[in-house]
Each structure stands twice: as C-alpha cells, then as structure tokens.
Amino acid sequence: MGSVSERSPGRWRLTVGATPDSLTGRRRQLTRTVDARNRKEALQALVDFRAEVLGDGGSRMSREVTLREACEEWHSFAASNLSPNTAAEMAGALRRYVYPHKLSAKPIASLKASELDLLYRELLKRGGEGGKPLSASSVRKVHAVLSLVFAQALRWEWISRNPAQDASPPKEGRPEIIPPSPDQVRTLIEAAAQGDEGVLWSTLVLVLATTGRRRGEICGLRWSDVDLKVGRVAIYRVVKVVDGTLRVAPFPKSARGEGTISLDLDTLEKLQALRAYMEERAAFFGTRLTPTAYVFSSKVDGNEPLNPQSVTKHFERLRRSVGLGNVRLHDLRHFAATQLLTAGFAVNAVAGRLGNSPAVLLGRYAHWVQAQDDDQAKHLGALVSPPADRS
C-alpha cells in the first residue's frame, strides 16, 4: 500500500511501490515529501500519490488496500487519541484474531458483511488459545475494532460502504449473578490466610470483597495510595496483561473508577499488618520497600505488582480447596454490590464505591434494585392509605 512518516513538523514523506524495473525486474520504491497538517491529510496525500503512480485516477487504490493494511493504518492514525492501554488492547485483538485469518489479505473494498460473519463464527468455534472456542464477548470486541477500521476507511474514501454495519456479531448473553454469601466469603478469607504468604493473600481477598473493586485496580495499589491512619484508599491506576506483558496504566481522565473510598476497621487493620509483614520481609533479605512499592506484590522490595492472571489462578486453587468451585474471583465484586444494594444504600453511592456509572449498576443488578423498589412502594402506600386499611 505504501507508508507515511513525519520528517519534521508539517512535513511528511510518502513511499509507494511502483511497477518492477523493466531491466532488473526489481520492484521500485518512489518517495515524495509533502506538507500536511496531520497524519490524516498525509494519508490522503498518499492515496493521491499512489493513484498518480499507478496512473488510474485512484480506482486501483481502494481495490488494493488489504484489510490488514487498513487495520494497521487505522491503528497508527487513531492510537494518539486512545489511552496506551486501549491502543495496546486493540492492536492485540487485531494481531491475535484478524491478521492470522485469510480475510486479512483480501482487498478491503471487496469485503462483505457475510465474510465478517464467517470470521466471527470461526472465532467462536476455535479462535481462542490452543484452538479453543472464543467467548462471544471477545468476538464482539473484535467486531467493535473492525467497525472503527471500516468507519475510518469510509471517511478516507477507500470504501463506499461499511460492511461492519450489516454484520451480525454474536449476542452476548448475560449470565445470572449468584454472589457468594457472607459465610462463604469468610471461609475464603480464612483459607487464604494459610501458608507462608497467608497475610498477603487473605488481605487481598478481604480488600476485594470490602471495596468491590476489580482485581486489576487492587493489584495497582501502591502504599502511597493507602492512608493507614484515616482508613482510605485512592484508586489511580489499573494493572492488565496485554499480549503476555504486564502493563500498569493510569485511568483516563474521564474514568469513573478513579477516586478515593473508605475502608472498614478490620480491613484497615489487615492492611496495617500486611505493611508490617512486607517491611519485615524486605529487611530479612537486606533491602527495603521502594517509595512506590505495591501493596500486593511477591517481590521483596514491592517494585512489581501481582499479575492479575496469577491472582485468578491462585483464587481458583483456593476456592477448590474449600469446596466452593462455583465462586469466581469477580463474584467478590458482585458480593459487594448486592450486599450494599439490599442493605438500602443509594445506587449512586454504591456505583461510586465500585467505580461504575449508576446506569450500568442499575442494568447489571436490576433484580436487587427492583426488590428495594417493591419495599419502597409498600412503604409509601402505607403512609397515605386510609386508617382502616392500615390495621
């Protein structure tokens, strides 16, 4: 397709492949330097330059741009407007699920919705690791990225119609939420306290249950985020694994997850005990906790957070050991949400603690909110009913 590179502010170098030299048979590379305010304008100049080289008024350009080339150009163009974590996740989705497929070599202008649907069906059957089925949620994420690619290609006039608009990604069924009981959570915390690092793992399970936060957010906590005197913790970052690499990223400015939440007395005391344990461990090995040490870390100086995937695997072993194989790590978040909602706490307050929007919380836990509303209806009705009806 060609390439675009910025040589200096406002100056871009365009490179396209021309027909092979008639004498040597070698494929030629032609370059041109143009003025453009941004990458979008430079890409359009590349389209015009390639059309000029091919001598066909641009008609061959859209026919020759493959799906993979379009994805790569879109990602290069859009990455500056995405958070580093989101950009990496989108690139990873394309690299794992789209580029290996034969569809990626087809011209983007010829692709049809039926071909995208075929890709989605194949991913559902064997798109996961080791040829295992890929979840509907993951396939929908692939569709979301491809939709952005085709939308940009339409704006660049590489295609005349967006096939992703007519494609049919799988519907994502929402599983029934069955949160663990308080007794089950206590059992898990007690079991986690066993072993050499019991204080670390039991405190982690406790914090997940009493804050309702996601595993990546808790793994991203540093000791500088925890006020061990007042009993508050600040959520500033999230830890994720992208293409096998551990990434620590700050929340975007608009993220609802960022904020400070309070800790109960027991959780605070457990965190104080964990801090003392980590300091003793560091001293034993002749070092000390770094100024930015992570709260939950297997490193003696705390300079690296626990891997969220490792946390899940440890929890899976833990739950099986106590006969609670049906309780997932994420169910600790469901536990916090449902317990607070059924206790009568306001939806906005619960959403703020969990780092959700109230609308998402209402949609996710509608059953528990509805039960509250039934009680509210009875209460208000009783207030205004005739005296004889109240007896």
Side-chain angles (χ1 to χ4, degrees):
M1 171 188 169
S3 62
V4 174
S5 59
E6 190 173 18
R7 312 300 294 176
S8 61
R11 298 282 290 174
W12 300 78
R13 183 179 182 179
L14 315 179
T15 304
V16 298
T19 56
D21 185 273
S22 58
L23 294 177
T24 65
R26 294 179 180 176
R27 192 167 184 83
R28 296 174 295 168
Q29 294 287 329
L30 301 181
T31 62
R32 173 181 292 175
T33 301
V34 299
D35 294 326
R37 290 176 297 179
N38 49 46
R39 186 175 181 82
K40 181 179 179 180
E41 287 189 1
L43 285 169
Q44 186 56 54
L46 177 65
V47 172
D48 297 338
F49 182 32
R50 185 178 173 93
E52 180 183 326
V53 170
L54 295 174
D56 60 9
S59 61
R60 286 184 60 188
M61 179 61 191
S62 61
R63 290 203 305 270
E64 292 190 354
V65 176
T66 66
L67 175 58
R68 176 166 185 160
E69 290 172 334
C71 289
E72 291 172 343
E73 287 293 348
W74 166 81
H75 189 267
S76 178
F77 168 73
S80 60
N81 294 321
L82 301 171
S83 71
N85 199 55
T86 299
E89 286 185 343
M90 289 183 168
L94 292 171
R95 189 163 53 252
R96 288 191 299 272
Y97 307 126
V98 178
Y99 296 165
H101 196 274
K102 60 184 179 181
L103 206 63
S104 68
K106 293 196 64 172
I108 188 174
S110 69
L111 290 177
K112 300 176 182 178
S114 60
E115 293 176 294
L116 295 181
D117 289 342
L118 177 62
L119 168 65
Y120 301 154
R121 288 198 298 272
E122 291 183 4
L123 290 175
L124 284 171
K125 288 181 180 178
R126 49 183 173 272
E129 185 177 353
K132 296 180 181 179
L134 193 64
S135 68
S137 174
S138 295
V139 176
R140 289 185 64 84
K141 289 179 181 177
V142 173
H143 171 71
V145 178
L146 287 177
S147 296
L148 294 173
V149 173
F150 283 112
Q152 189 62 55
L154 188 63
R155 287 190 286 270
W156 285 338
E157 299 181 354
W158 290 356
I159 56 177
S160 58
R161 183 175 179 80
N162 183 347
Q165 290 183 336
D166 300 319
S168 304
K171 293 183 179 180
E172 184 179 359
R174 194 175 289 277
E176 181 183 2
I177 296 175
I178 306 177
S181 68
D183 285 342
Q184 289 175 325
V185 174
R186 282 192 289 268
T187 297
L188 289 165
I189 294 171
E190 291 170 1
Q194 308 304 313
D196 295 337
E197 293 189 314
V199 64
L200 173 70
W201 291 104
S202 61
T203 305
L204 175 58
V205 176
L206 176 64
V207 170
L208 287 167
T210 58
T211 63
R213 287 295 181 143
R214 301 173 181 87
R215 62 175 187 175
E217 297 168 0
I218 298 304
C219 286
L221 285 177
R222 300 181 191 270
W223 283 111
S224 56
D225 304 326
V226 183
D227 190 328
L228 292 174
K229 294 182 179 180
V230 178
R232 291 193 180 92
V233 61
I235 308 293
Y236 289 133
R237 65 194 68 81
V238 62
V239 180
K240 289 189 176 183
V241 180
V242 181
D243 288 341
T245 302
L246 201 65
R247 296 180 182 272
V248 182
F251 282 105
K253 291 182 180 179
S254 60
R256 294 181 180 274
E258 186 174 274
T260 302
I261 57 177
S262 299
L263 301 170
D264 66 283
L265 183 59
D266 185 49
T267 301
L268 177 59
E269 290 177 348
K270 291 294 175 53
L271 281 169
Q272 290 170 338
L274 176 61
R275 172 74 188 200
Y277 162 78
M278 293 187 70
E279 288 177 342
E280 290 174 4
R281 182 179 66 174
F284 178 82
F285 286 99
T287 185
R288 56 185 300 180
L289 296 182
T290 62
T292 56
Y294 288 94
V295 175
F296 299 102
S297 174
S298 59
K299 304 295 184 181
V300 293
D301 59 359
N303 68 347
E304 183 179 302
L306 287 176
N307 185 313
Q309 293 180 349
S310 298
V311 171
T312 297
K313 290 179 180 178
H314 185 93
F315 186 83
E316 288 172 351
R317 292 192 295 270
L318 176 67
R319 70 184 186 181
R320 287 195 297 268
S321 71
V322 294
L324 294 174
N326 62 325
V327 178
R328 305 168 305 157
L329 182 67
H330 196 71
D331 288 334
L332 296 176
R333 179 172 169 83
H334 295 324
F335 164 80
T338 55
Q339 289 294 325
L340 291 174
L341 289 172
T342 53
F345 289 95
V347 170
N348 283 351
V350 178
R353 184 169 184 81
L354 270 66
N356 261 340
S357 72
V360 169
L361 194 76
L362 283 171
R364 196 75 179 97
Y365 304 102
H367 175 71
W368 281 268
V369 177
Q370 184 61 51
Q372 276 191 71
D373 194 49
D374 291 343
D375 292 338
Q376 292 179 97
K378 293 176 183 178
H379 177 72
L380 291 174
L383 292 176
V384 298
S385 63
D389 294 341
R390 299 178 192 173
S391 57

